[in-house]
Amino acid sequence: MEGFLGLTLPSFIGQLINFLILLGLLTFFGYKPIRRMLDERANRIKKSMEQAEATKQEYDRARVEVEKRISKARDEGQSIVGQSEQAGERIKEEARQGARKEAQAIVDRTREELERDRDKIVDELRKEFVDMAILAAEKVISETLDKEKHRQIIEKTLEESAALRRNES
Amino acid sequence: MTGKRHRGSLLKIVVLAIAIFAMIIISFIGSEIGSGIIGSKPISFLNVEAPKYHPAPERPFHHLPITNTMITAWISIVVLGGLFFIGTRNMKLVPTGLQNFLELIVEAAANFIEDPAGERHGRWFFSVCTTIFLFIVANAWLSLIPGFETIHINGEPFLRNANTDLNIPAALAVVSFCYVEYWGFKAKGVSYLKTFFHFGPLWQALKLMFTGNIKAGAGGLLNGLVAVFAGLLEILSHLIRMVSFTFRLFGNMTAGMILVMIMLFLVPWVLPIVFYGMEAFFGFVQAMIFGGLTLGFACAAVMEEE
């Protein structure tokens, strides 16, 4: 019944089956899922490292690009500012010229108007003066002078005054 | 102040050491052997039953052909299978608890195996080598649980360290042998047989001799005979491996079991703890040796010869 040191065929086969069952159990419920998990984790880590590397490169590239753009924009801005300064200068000059011309025109026109008004006023004044002078003279002298002489004197005076005015202008 | 505290802890250690020593002495004197030497009567609760050893596993159920080591092996299977089954339910990418522990074991084993065997062959060997290791460790460590060997049914111990049943080391050795040869054929095909039947150099030498070049042929003849002899030795070594595998594990575990039994008989208190610790270590070492040697032989079988 009992073999050498307890070695028996049924027991031996039974233990062999035991071990094979354990091997199967551990392989399918233990090692396979765990190794899959380990592999997946390793893959995940590798992938995320690669991603991080790629992101860093992308970032570096973007930074260089942005810096380039900023410096370009700065240059452009500077040239725009220069141009607008020039344009402003030109516009100012033009405005100054225009204003001067306009002012001159206004001055000229005003002077003409003034002269015209003055002539008119002078003419009216003269007429009135003549009339008043005649009236006054008539009253003062009444009939001491005859009418012919009277007129001659006035005419002469007017003549002188006209000459005087012509000289003035 | 620190000096006072230091002196206090020193005092505690001294008291503890004296207490331990006293327990060892008392338990020795109270046991059967110690009381016999002194001439007093053994103290009843220190009187441990004298160790009885039968190499064959006992059968607690007389009418059933189930041995106690068979039951222990089933317990090991249930414990290991249960651990892995529970630990791999809804696995998470960020591991916690049991999953983390199992991953630690699997990864350590994978590194240990793939280091010499390489990635491809390592995957072949992994399951068998790791299972052999875990099975032996589980058998050895379960038997160290307090009370393990005290359960008796029908006057026979209900449980016994499964590694002390010659059938288990033998079964493992046969599994190891079969897998090694299988991997050899898987890696090299039919030319794996050349490891055992290496007639090539001998034929070459004979051909040279018969075609007239007797001098060169005679020189090659010796080499050819050596190759044939080496192949035959290889067959022998592969077969003897199984025997050495079997008796290394069986012998170590049985010796450990007997040692612990004798220590419990001689000095029931305290001192056996040391041997329990040693047994825990030896169980691990034996499992490592069994799994490691299987791995080594497997690597040798699949290795390409130049």
Side-chain angles (χ1 to χ4, degrees):
Chain A
M1 186 69 195
E2 281 186 5
F4 169 66
L5 290 176
L7 193 66
T8 58
L9 193 62
S11 228
F12 175 80
I13 290 170
Q15 299 291 12
L16 201 63
I17 292 169
N18 279 349
F19 179 78
L20 293 177
I21 289 170
L22 181 68
L23 183 63
L25 274 179
L26 293 193
T27 302
F28 287 103
F29 291 116
Y31 309 147
K32 277 203 172 158
I34 289 175
R35 298 212 77 176
R36 204 162 47 226
M37 181 55 72
L38 290 175
D39 288 350
E40 195 190 324
R41 188 175 305 136
N43 271 336
R44 196 63 89 78
I45 289 169
K46 209 174 102 196
K47 219 183 275 170
S48 51
M49 299 257 282
E50 282 169 2
Q51 257 171 5
E53 189 59 32
T55 312
K56 192 167 162 284
Q57 280 177 1
E58 187 78 8
Y59 166 74
D60 284 347
R61 213 161 41 230
R63 205 182 57 188
V64 168
E65 180 77 10
V66 165
E67 270 171 8
K68 217 156 55 188
R69 274 197 203 166
I70 285 174
S71 78
K72 203 173 143 201
R74 193 180 290 137
D75 289 354
E76 275 179 7
Q78 232 140 31
S79 82
I80 287 171
V81 167
Q83 279 174 6
S84 40
E85 267 176 3
Q86 282 180 358
E89 212 47 53
R90 206 173 57 233
I91 289 167
K92 218 158 74 181
E93 191 58 35
E94 278 173 9
R96 197 182 288 146
Q97 298 270 350
R100 192 177 291 151
K101 251 186 238 165
E102 217 165 287
Q104 192 60 47
I106 289 168
V107 165
D108 289 351
R109 209 165 52 236
T110 314
R111 184 178 291 154
E112 267 172 34
E113 269 173 24
L114 280 174
E115 278 179 3
R116 216 169 32 239
D117 285 356
R118 193 189 60 189
D119 287 355
K120 219 166 89 190
I121 289 165
V122 166
D123 275 348
E124 278 172 10
L125 277 174
R126 198 168 59 191
K127 260 183 219 161
E128 252 178 70
F129 179 70
V130 169
D131 289 345
M132 273 167 65
I134 291 169
L135 210 68
E138 273 178 356
K139 274 184 180 168
V140 172
I141 305 161
S142 89
E143 282 135 12
T144 56
L145 286 174
D146 62 278
K147 229 165 196 184
E148 197 54 40
K149 210 165 183 185
H150 195 170
R151 182 154 299 273
Q152 272 172 6
I153 290 167
I154 290 165
E155 284 297 329
K156 198 179 157 198
T157 312
L158 280 177
E159 207 91 336
E160 279 168 9
S161 144
L164 199 79
R165 211 184 76 195
R166 216 163 289 132
N167 281 350
E168 236 175 61
S169 63
Chain B
M1 204 179 114
T2 50
K4 209 181 250 177
R5 192 185 296 164
H6 190 71
R7 213 177 305 148
S9 62
L10 196 73
L11 193 71
K12 275 183 204 163
I13 290 169
V14 168
V15 168
L16 202 66
I18 290 171
I20 288 172
F21 190 67
M23 283 169 84
I24 292 172
I25 295 295
I26 289 167
S27 66
F28 175 67
I29 290 170
S31 71
E32 208 173 320
I33 299 287
S35 60
I37 292 171
I38 290 179
S40 62
K41 277 177 96 181
I43 304 167
S44 64
F45 62 88
L46 289 174
N47 194 3
V48 178
E49 198 182 336
K52 289 175 292 182
Y53 172 69
H54 312 289
E58 294 83 0
R59 288 182 179 182
F61 309 104
H62 293 303
H63 51 282
L64 282 176
I66 295 171
T67 59
N68 49 9
T69 51
M70 185 67 89
I71 295 168
T72 319
W74 288 342
I75 294 175
S76 292
I77 290 170
V78 169
V79 167
L80 284 176
L83 272 182
F84 274 90
F85 186 78
I86 295 165
T88 55
R89 292 304 89 190
N90 51 57
M91 295 224 294
K92 284 171 287 226
L93 204 64
V94 180
T96 50
L98 188 58
Q99 188 196 338
N100 206 351
F101 175 66
L102 295 179
E103 280 184 11
L104 186 80
I105 293 174
V106 169
E107 192 156 29
N111 288 338
F112 184 84
I113 291 165
E114 281 170 18
D115 188 37
E119 170 92 29
R120 178 167 157 263
H121 293 145
R123 298 235 161 197
W124 296 357
F125 307 157
F126 180 82
S127 286
V128 173
C129 293
T130 311
T131 307
I132 287 175
F133 170 79
L134 288 176
F135 188 51
I136 295 172
V137 163
N139 284 340
W141 286 359
L142 279 177
S143 72
L144 297 177
I145 293 172
F148 182 83
E149 275 163 347
T150 61
I151 307 165
H152 281 72
I153 288 179
N154 296 328
E156 300 281 4
F158 180 58
L159 299 169
R160 172 172 162 176
N161 184 346
N163 294 331
T164 62
D165 176 1
L166 192 61
N167 292 299
I168 283 189
L172 293 179
V174 169
V175 167
S176 165
F177 169 81
C178 291
Y179 268 101
V180 166
E181 306 310 326
Y182 164 66
W183 289 324
F185 280 111
K186 194 174 169 186
K188 294 184 189 166
V190 185
S191 69
Y192 178 61
L193 283 173
K194 261 198 257 171
T195 316
F196 309 113
F197 307 102
H198 203 193
F199 295 118
L202 188 62
W203 286 136
Q204 216 110 59
L206 287 174
K207 213 153 75 183
L208 277 174
M209 275 178 84
F210 281 112
T211 49
N213 198 342
I214 293 174
K215 215 172 178 185
L221 198 64
L222 190 66
N223 277 341
L225 285 172
V226 167
V228 171
F229 185 66
L232 293 176
L233 274 185
E234 195 71 18
I235 296 175
L236 217 62
S237 107
H238 278 232
L239 292 173
I240 289 171
R241 264 179 212 170
M242 280 194 283
V243 181
S244 71
F245 260 142
T246 307
F247 284 100
R248 186 185 303 111
L249 182 59
F250 171 74
N252 272 290
M253 295 331 256
T254 306
M257 184 178 81
I258 292 171
L259 183 61
V260 170
M261 283 200 302
I262 289 173
M263 287 320 294
L264 278 170
F265 176 65
L266 285 179
V267 186
W269 285 354
V270 184
L271 205 58
I273 293 171
V274 178
F275 294 92
Y276 267 96
M278 269 169 59
E279 277 317 296
F281 176 66
F282 285 137
F284 179 81
V285 168
Q286 285 306 315
M288 206 72 185
I289 288 173
F290 212 117
L293 279 179
T294 303
L295 171 67
F297 293 145
C299 287
V302 300
M303 203 171 57
E304 289 298 330
E305 288 144 81
E306 60 279 0

